[in-house]
Amino acid sequence: MQDKKITTGPAGYMPNPAVFMGVELPPEGKALLYGEIVDEEVAMREAAKAMLTRKNPTIFPGPQVLWNWKDDVAEKAQAILELASEIPNCRIIPMPDYRPKYPKIDPEAEINPNHPNLTILHNKIEACIFVGVHCHYANLSLRMIRAGTNCFTIALCAFMGHEEAMASLRDVHADDIRRFKDVLVQVRNELGIEWTPKPPPRNPSLPKEEWEALNPYEYGEYMHLIIPRRGEENVTETE
Amino acid sequence: MGLRYVQPAPGFKEYLPKDYVDLIDFGPFGKEVDVQHLGDFKEILEEHPMCAGCWMAYFVRVFYASLPNPEDTIVLGTAGCARLALSQAAVPFIYGNYGDTNAVASGLTRALKIRFPDKTKDVVVVAGDGGLMDIGFSMTMHSWFRKEKFTTIMVDNEVYGNTGGQESGMSPKGVQLKMAPKGKKFEKIPATELAKQAGCVYVVKLSPTSVKRTAKVIRRAILAARHFGPTFIHAYTSCNIEYSIPTEEVLKDAREREKKDFGFEEYMTDEVREFFEEIEKKKEVKK
């Protein structure tokens, strides 16, 4: 790599957009690494190395893979979960939609494209993967992350890729994610990192299942089995 | 847009934040919720940055709970107080440039008809008196002249509340405001009369003091817009800050205005009336 145009930040307030620095999107079959067009394999290896060696690797799935809005989403979602389970101590922090949140987001539970740096800085994330985020919001977030954090950004884009990411793959679908996973496992073995695949921890905002501390209202539609409706009898004994 | 957009991809439900999981499990999507059971289901809008005691925030909450098809609805708004809450809801929201909401909604409605010819998609504009009757006046009127099939809801707080209290065309005559100390010199614009003349098929003026009636009106306006043409709701949503209404007296003020100049008025064309009668007959048969 002769010339690294796009490197990890912080690049400072309002950094030059990557396109102003001469970065072009890669043609089909190629990828971007630090703003240069390279073979996919090269970008995949560098991205894998970042996810394996930098602190708090995290995957940020966007709405296009989080919601089951079309038939091929399920397979892509499964491939992402397989990839996450192969990365040591990886977390999944979702970007479920793009709406502004008041008073502010919970940075441990989600990432918002309007201020992605909050989540990255709060969790001290130094390597992340964007997948399934609509391109215009991915560009916005990736530039903000480069401006204000030292996070290594990887874009697994289903379209043409993202020049603001340090490593960007294009036309990425379920098979390509699995190919990236295989490269990652290979790099992990080369680095001598031992890891048994296991799924990342669930979202910390979800309640832990402490049955004794549950409030009747938390039983949702079954609440009326505990608090009877007017005129109904409560079931106190069972055979 | 569509019920599949609110169902998580396999394996991802446990990675979603709690409020999204609650929306999936207890939200109004794909169900018929009764607005009078607010609090028993997860609402589309819960947190918002509006002022304490804001009557508009209450109206927006009721509005979202009244949507007949929230998973297939797009809401448009413009600069003003309402958009602060509208944009935070779990329904797609488009922020128009000031005044162009009805022009954007016209294009959107037509595009959705072409893109999804077999599906029902609702487009609803919710904007203030400034956005619809002052700065957006021409585009609002022209969308009605063109008989565009979407609903326009004017949340009328009778002032430019976001920018410090300038008078609007909907401010009452004689009222003195912080940035208009000489008092307003002309009457409120007769918005509902204009709507009728311009060709709206269903027009309502109300002070939303009754949750049930407000929800009924919103649902009717959306259903009529699907089939017949433009519909319009003029709702009084006071600005307790600019009009110095104590927070605990906001509802009292709404009731007083209802008696004074915001009495309930409902207008509909004959075909719309027949349409509603048919729907009600079907409901009775179901019962």
Side-chain angles (χ1 to χ4, degrees), chain A residues 62-224:
Chain A
Q64 291 189 98
V65 293
L66 281 174
W67 302 106
N68 197 22
W69 62 288
K70 61 175 183 165
D71 294 334
D72 62 352
V73 169
E75 202 191 342
K76 196 171 179 181
Q78 184 57 38
I80 293 165
L81 292 174
E82 286 169 20
L83 171 66
S85 66
E86 294 288 354
I87 303 168
N89 304 314
C90 179
R91 272 185 299 176
I92 291 179
I93 299 181
M95 190 187 282
D97 54 33
Y98 308 127
R99 56 184 152 136
K101 291 286 179 72
Y102 174 83
K104 66 168 190 164
I105 58 150
D106 174 357
E108 288 181 19
E110 63 182 310
I111 182 168
N112 190 281
N114 306 304
H115 32 65
N117 46 340
L118 293 183
T119 298
I120 299 220
L121 294 172
H122 178 88
N123 297 293
K124 298 184 174 60
I125 295 165
E126 292 191 4
C128 72
I129 293 174
F130 270 67
V131 58
V133 180
H134 289 86
C135 290
H136 52 299
Y137 272 111
N139 275 338
L140 173 82
S141 298
L142 289 165
R143 191 165 162 227
M144 267 192 261
I145 293 167
R146 188 165 66 84
T149 77
N150 64 343
C151 185
F152 185 101
T153 50
I154 300 155
L156 302 184
C157 181
F159 297 97
M160 293 173 76
H162 295 277
E163 64 273 3
E164 293 286 347
M166 275 105 246
S168 170
L169 300 170
R170 60 169 290 167
D171 304 314
V172 177
H173 302 288
D175 292 345
D176 308 280
I177 293 171
R178 290 201 170 99
R179 196 154 57 90
F180 177 50
K181 182 196 76 178
D182 294 341
V183 171
L184 186 132
V185 172
Q186 192 187 343
V187 173
R188 194 181 71 199
N189 293 337
E190 285 170 14
L191 291 171
I193 299 168
E194 286 184 11
W195 176 254
T196 311
K198 62 176 182 183
R202 65 209 292 269
N203 196 298
S205 69
L206 295 174
K208 289 176 186 65
E209 291 180 351
E210 293 172 7
W211 300 108
E212 286 183 6
L214 273 180
N215 183 307
Y217 289 99
E218 288 172 292
Y219 285 87
E221 61 183 301
Y222 302 109
M223 183 181 74
H224 295 293

Side-chain angles (χ1 to χ4, degrees), chain B residues 17-274:
Chain B
K18 186 176 182 300
D19 49 334
Y20 291 86
V21 175
D22 286 349
L23 261 178
I24 295 161
D25 291 339
F26 309 114
F29 300 113
K31 302 170 197 162
E32 274 221 4
V33 294
D34 186 344
V35 72
Q36 288 182 298
H37 293 165
L38 271 177
D40 282 2
F41 56 89
K42 172 77 176 172
E43 289 174 51
I44 293 173
L45 172 76
E46 280 195 353
E47 294 183 318
H48 61 77
M50 316 272 277
C51 307
C54 178
W55 197 233
M56 193 185 288
Y58 153 80
F59 181 83
V60 171
R61 192 178 166 203
V62 174
F63 161 72
Y64 273 123
S66 314
L67 293 177
N69 219 8
E71 62 274 12
D72 283 308
T73 303
I74 297 181
V75 177
L76 288 100
T78 189
C81 295
R83 63 97 166 91
L84 295 168
L86 291 166
S87 61
Q88 300 216 8
V91 161
F93 173 76
I94 294 176
Y95 185 97
N97 287 320
Y98 210 174
D100 74 359
T101 41
N102 279 39
V104 176
S106 305
L108 184 65
T109 310
R110 293 180 190 194
L112 289 170
K113 277 273 181 307
I114 296 167
R115 176 69 181 79
F116 303 103
D118 307 327
K119 292 183 182 172
T120 303
K121 303 280 178 187
D122 297 322
V123 175
V124 187
V125 171
V126 184
D129 40 316
L132 291 174
M133 281 294 135
D134 283 359
I135 297 163
F137 184 73
S138 65
M139 289 190 222
T140 305
M141 293 302 293
H142 277 266
S143 73
W144 292 343
F145 291 142
R146 293 194 305 269
K147 306 275 187 290
E148 302 285 356
K149 289 180 176 173
F150 63 85
T151 302
T152 307
I153 298 177
M154 179 164 71
V155 279
D156 179 11
N157 62 359
E158 306 186 317
V159 65
Y160 285 86
N162 238 216
T163 47
Q166 294 82 5
E167 71 173 40
S168 86
M170 299 305 293
S171 303
K173 188 179 180 185
V175 72
Q176 284 181 306
L177 294 156
K178 285 175 194 161
M179 303 281 265
K182 286 186 171 179
K184 195 180 169 208
K185 298 223 166 23
F186 57 94
E187 298 284 349
K188 261 175 100 81
I189 298 171
T192 47
E193 294 306 316
L194 288 169
K196 286 177 207 167
Q197 292 301 321
C200 285
V201 296
Y202 182 75
V203 180
V204 169
K205 181 177 173 184
L206 84 164
S207 178
T209 52
S210 155
V211 178
K212 195 177 173 184
R213 188 173 64 192
T214 307
K216 187 179 176 185
V217 160
I218 291 167
R219 291 174 79 90
R220 278 186 159 193
I222 292 172
L223 293 177
R226 281 182 191 169
H227 302 284
F228 301 105
T231 56
F232 177 59
I233 297 172
H234 178 188
Y236 173 66
T237 53
S238 66
C239 178
N240 57 328
I241 303 297
E242 295 303 334
Y243 278 83
S244 303
I245 305 165
T247 303
E248 66 277 12
E249 289 181 18
V250 168
L251 176 58
K252 188 179 155 197
D253 166 73
R255 286 186 175 138
E256 279 170 9
R257 290 298 298 272
E258 189 172 28
K259 283 178 198 158
K260 199 174 145 198
D261 57 348
F262 261 94
F264 184 72
E265 288 173 18
E266 189 179 41
Y267 159 85
M268 63 187 94
T269 60
D270 292 339
E271 55 180 2
V272 172
R273 191 181 304 279
E274 279 171 26

